[in-house]
PDB file of all heavy atoms in Angstrom:
ATOM      1  N   THR A  95     -47.836   2.367 -51.229  1.00 98.00           N
ATOM      2  CA  THR A  95     -48.552   1.116 -51.517  1.00 98.00           C
ATOM      3  C   THR A  95     -49.009   0.393 -50.246  1.00 98.00           C
ATOM      4  O   THR A  95     -48.219   0.215 -49.310  1.00 98.00           O
ATOM      5  CB  THR A  95     -47.621   0.170 -52.317  1.00 98.00           C
ATOM      6  OG1 THR A  95     -47.461   0.693 -53.628  1.00 98.00           O
ATOM      7  CG2 THR A  95     -48.193  -1.234 -52.412  1.00 98.00           C
ATOM      8  N   ARG A  97     -49.653  -3.030 -48.925  1.00 98.00           N
ATOM      9  CA  ARG A  97     -49.235  -4.344 -49.418  1.00 98.00           C
ATOM     10  C   ARG A  97     -50.202  -5.460 -49.028  1.00 98.00           C
ATOM     11  O   ARG A  97     -50.480  -6.352 -49.825  1.00 98.00           O
ATOM     12  CB  ARG A  97     -47.811  -4.654 -48.897  1.00 98.00           C
ATOM     13  CG  ARG A  97     -47.251  -6.011 -49.310  1.00 98.00           C
ATOM     14  CD  ARG A  97     -47.097  -6.129 -50.803  1.00 98.00           C
ATOM     15  NE  ARG A  97     -46.625  -7.448 -51.232  1.00 98.00           N
ATOM     16  CZ  ARG A  97     -47.394  -8.497 -51.484  1.00 98.00           C
ATOM     17  NH1 ARG A  97     -48.710  -8.407 -51.308  1.00 98.00           N
ATOM     18  NH2 ARG A  97     -46.884  -9.632 -51.895  1.00 98.00           N
ATOM     19  N   LYS A 188     -41.353 -11.916 -46.466  1.00 98.00           N
ATOM     20  CA  LYS A 188     -42.455 -11.664 -47.400  1.00 98.00           C
ATOM     21  C   LYS A 188     -43.838 -11.868 -46.801  1.00 98.00           C
ATOM     22  O   LYS A 188     -44.801 -11.240 -47.223  1.00 98.00           O
ATOM     23  CB  LYS A 188     -42.316 -12.591 -48.613  1.00 98.00           C
ATOM     24  CG  LYS A 188     -41.057 -12.384 -49.439  1.00 98.00           C
ATOM     25  CD  LYS A 188     -41.006 -11.008 -50.046  1.00 98.00           C
ATOM     26  CE  LYS A 188     -39.956 -10.912 -51.152  1.00 98.00           C
ATOM     27  NZ  LYS A 188     -39.843  -9.515 -51.635  1.00 98.00           N
ATOM     28  N   TYR A 204     -37.460 -14.041 -48.547  1.00 98.00           N
ATOM     29  CA  TYR A 204     -36.549 -13.942 -49.705  1.00 98.00           C
ATOM     30  C   TYR A 204     -35.317 -14.826 -49.487  1.00 98.00           C
ATOM     31  O   TYR A 204     -34.616 -15.153 -50.441  1.00 98.00           O
ATOM     32  CB  TYR A 204     -36.149 -12.465 -49.818  1.00 98.00           C
ATOM     33  CG  TYR A 204     -35.356 -12.006 -51.016  1.00 98.00           C
ATOM     34  CD1 TYR A 204     -35.998 -11.544 -52.172  1.00 98.00           C
ATOM     35  CD2 TYR A 204     -33.968 -11.930 -50.975  1.00 98.00           C
ATOM     36  CE1 TYR A 204     -35.272 -11.056 -53.257  1.00 98.00           C
ATOM     37  CE2 TYR A 204     -33.230 -11.438 -52.049  1.00 98.00           C
ATOM     38  CZ  TYR A 204     -33.890 -11.009 -53.188  1.00 98.00           C
ATOM     39  OH  TYR A 204     -33.161 -10.509 -54.241  1.00 98.00           O
ATOM     40  N   ASN A 303     -50.445 -15.227 -65.045  1.00 98.00           N
ATOM     41  CA  ASN A 303     -51.826 -14.708 -65.077  1.00 98.00           C
ATOM     42  C   ASN A 303     -52.884 -15.750 -64.692  1.00 98.00           C
ATOM     43  O   ASN A 303     -54.065 -15.435 -64.658  1.00 98.00           O
ATOM     44  CB  ASN A 303     -52.218 -14.131 -66.450  1.00 98.00           C
ATOM     45  CG  ASN A 303     -51.195 -13.169 -67.013  1.00 98.00           C
ATOM     46  OD1 ASN A 303     -50.277 -12.745 -66.298  1.00 98.00           O
ATOM     47  ND2 ASN A 303     -51.346 -12.810 -68.262  1.00 98.00           N
ATOM     48  N   ASP A 337     -50.106 -10.531 -63.881  1.00 98.00           N
ATOM     49  CA  ASP A 337     -49.766 -11.366 -62.726  1.00 98.00           C
ATOM     50  C   ASP A 337     -50.913 -11.464 -61.713  1.00 98.00           C
ATOM     51  O   ASP A 337     -51.561 -10.460 -61.408  1.00 98.00           O
ATOM     52  CB  ASP A 337     -48.574 -10.767 -61.949  1.00 98.00           C
ATOM     53  CG  ASP A 337     -47.277 -10.804 -62.723  1.00 98.00           C
ATOM     54  OD1 ASP A 337     -47.277 -11.273 -63.875  1.00 98.00           O
ATOM     55  OD2 ASP A 337     -46.263 -10.354 -62.160  1.00 98.00           O
ATOM     56  N   ASN A 339     -51.696 -11.698 -57.916  1.00 98.00           N
ATOM     57  CA  ASN A 339     -50.939 -11.374 -56.694  1.00 98.00           C
ATOM     58  C   ASN A 339     -51.488 -12.021 -55.432  1.00 98.00           C
ATOM     59  O   ASN A 339     -50.765 -12.189 -54.452  1.00 98.00           O
ATOM     60  CB  ASN A 339     -50.892  -9.859 -56.485  1.00 98.00           C
ATOM     61  CG  ASN A 339     -50.035  -9.172 -57.523  1.00 98.00           C
ATOM     62  OD1 ASN A 339     -49.054  -9.746 -57.986  1.00 98.00           O
ATOM     63  ND2 ASN A 339     -50.406  -7.965 -57.887  1.00 98.00           N
TER      64      ASN A 339
ATOM     65  N   ARG B 135     -48.863  -2.927 -71.114  1.00 93.00           N
ATOM     66  CA  ARG B 135     -48.746  -3.409 -69.733  1.00 93.00           C
ATOM     67  C   ARG B 135     -48.809  -4.915 -69.603  1.00 93.00           C
ATOM     68  O   ARG B 135     -48.334  -5.479 -68.628  1.00 93.00           O
ATOM     69  CB  ARG B 135     -49.823  -2.759 -68.851  1.00 93.00           C
ATOM     70  CG  ARG B 135     -49.262  -1.629 -68.005  1.00 93.00           C
ATOM     71  CD  ARG B 135     -50.230  -1.195 -66.922  1.00 93.00           C
ATOM     72  NE  ARG B 135     -50.087  -1.966 -65.697  1.00 93.00           N
ATOM     73  CZ  ARG B 135     -50.750  -1.692 -64.575  1.00 93.00           C
ATOM     74  NH1 ARG B 135     -51.581  -0.683 -64.529  1.00 93.00           N
ATOM     75  NH2 ARG B 135     -50.593  -2.449 -63.508  1.00 93.00           N
ATOM     76  N   LYS B 138     -44.551  -9.021 -70.061  1.00 97.00           N
ATOM     77  CA  LYS B 138     -43.712  -9.331 -68.905  1.00 97.00           C
ATOM     78  C   LYS B 138     -42.260  -9.137 -69.310  1.00 97.00           C
ATOM     79  O   LYS B 138     -41.870  -9.512 -70.408  1.00 97.00           O
ATOM     80  CB  LYS B 138     -43.953 -10.760 -68.449  1.00 97.00           C
ATOM     81  CG  LYS B 138     -45.390 -10.967 -67.955  1.00 97.00           C
ATOM     82  CD  LYS B 138     -45.644 -12.392 -67.580  1.00 97.00           C
ATOM     83  CE  LYS B 138     -47.133 -12.659 -67.418  1.00 97.00           C
ATOM     84  NZ  LYS B 138     -47.774 -11.868 -66.362  1.00 97.00           N
ATOM     85  N   LYS B 156     -31.790 -11.910 -58.913  1.00 97.00           N
ATOM     86  CA  LYS B 156     -32.914 -12.187 -58.007  1.00 97.00           C
ATOM     87  C   LYS B 156     -33.601 -10.886 -57.609  1.00 97.00           C
ATOM     88  O   LYS B 156     -34.828 -10.792 -57.583  1.00 97.00           O
ATOM     89  CB  LYS B 156     -32.416 -12.938 -56.771  1.00 97.00           C
ATOM     90  CG  LYS B 156     -33.550 -13.420 -55.861  1.00 97.00           C
ATOM     91  CD  LYS B 156     -33.043 -14.331 -54.752  1.00 97.00           C
ATOM     92  CE  LYS B 156     -34.217 -14.872 -53.930  1.00 97.00           C
ATOM     93  NZ  LYS B 156     -33.774 -15.776 -52.867  1.00 97.00           N
ATOM     94  N   ASP B 160     -37.504  -9.470 -58.557  1.00 97.00           N
ATOM     95  CA  ASP B 160     -38.460  -9.405 -57.441  1.00 97.00           C
ATOM     96  C   ASP B 160     -39.363  -8.194 -57.635  1.00 97.00           C
ATOM     97  O   ASP B 160     -38.989  -7.062 -57.345  1.00 97.00           O
ATOM     98  CB  ASP B 160     -37.689  -9.313 -56.119  1.00 97.00           C
ATOM     99  CG  ASP B 160     -38.616  -9.344 -54.907  1.00 97.00           C
ATOM    100  OD1 ASP B 160     -39.694  -8.715 -54.965  1.00 97.00           O
ATOM    101  OD2 ASP B 160     -38.260  -9.985 -53.910  1.00 97.00           O
ATOM    102  N   LYS B 161     -40.562  -8.430 -58.160  1.00 97.00           N
ATOM    103  CA  LYS B 161     -41.435  -7.321 -58.537  1.00 97.00           C
ATOM    104  C   LYS B 161     -41.831  -6.449 -57.347  1.00 97.00           C
ATOM    105  O   LYS B 161     -42.050  -5.259 -57.488  1.00 97.00           O
ATOM    106  CB  LYS B 161     -42.694  -7.855 -59.231  1.00 97.00           C
ATOM    107  CG  LYS B 161     -43.539  -8.763 -58.352  1.00 97.00           C
ATOM    108  CD  LYS B 161     -44.718  -9.310 -59.128  1.00 97.00           C
ATOM    109  CE  LYS B 161     -45.966  -8.537 -58.795  1.00 97.00           C
ATOM    110  NZ  LYS B 161     -47.147  -9.121 -59.472  1.00 97.00           N
ATOM    111  N   GLU B 162     -41.882  -7.061 -56.168  1.00 98.00           N
ATOM    112  CA  GLU B 162     -42.282  -6.314 -54.983  1.00 98.00           C
ATOM    113  C   GLU B 162     -41.176  -5.322 -54.581  1.00 98.00           C
ATOM    114  O   GLU B 162     -41.444  -4.161 -54.275  1.00 98.00           O
ATOM    115  CB  GLU B 162     -42.553  -7.294 -53.837  1.00 98.00           C
ATOM    116  CG  GLU B 162     -43.110  -6.666 -52.592  1.00 98.00           C
ATOM    117  CD  GLU B 162     -43.213  -7.702 -51.462  1.00 98.00           C
ATOM    118  OE1 GLU B 162     -42.199  -8.344 -51.130  1.00 98.00           O
ATOM    119  OE2 GLU B 162     -44.300  -7.869 -50.933  1.00 98.00           O
ATOM    120  N   GLU B 169     -40.862   3.658 -55.556  1.00 95.00           N
ATOM    121  CA  GLU B 169     -41.623   4.648 -54.776  1.00 95.00           C
ATOM    122  C   GLU B 169     -40.674   5.554 -53.991  1.00 95.00           C
ATOM    123  O   GLU B 169     -41.121   6.456 -53.300  1.00 95.00           O
ATOM    124  CB  GLU B 169     -42.606   3.942 -53.833  1.00 95.00           C
ATOM    125  CG  GLU B 169     -43.780   3.308 -54.574  1.00 95.00           C
ATOM    126  CD  GLU B 169     -44.847   2.749 -53.648  1.00 95.00           C
ATOM    127  OE1 GLU B 169     -44.703   2.856 -52.419  1.00 95.00           O
ATOM    128  OE2 GLU B 169     -45.828   2.203 -54.170  1.00 95.00           O
TER     129      GLU B 169
END
Side-chain angles (χ1 to χ4, degrees):
Chain A
T95 289
R97 179 63 183 87
K188 297 297 195 185
Y204 188 91
N303 311 348
D337 293 1
N339 291 327
Chain B
R135 258 193 88 174
K138 296 177 194 299
K156 187 172 184 179
D160 184 320
K161 62 183 260 184
E162 186 186 55
E169 288 187 1

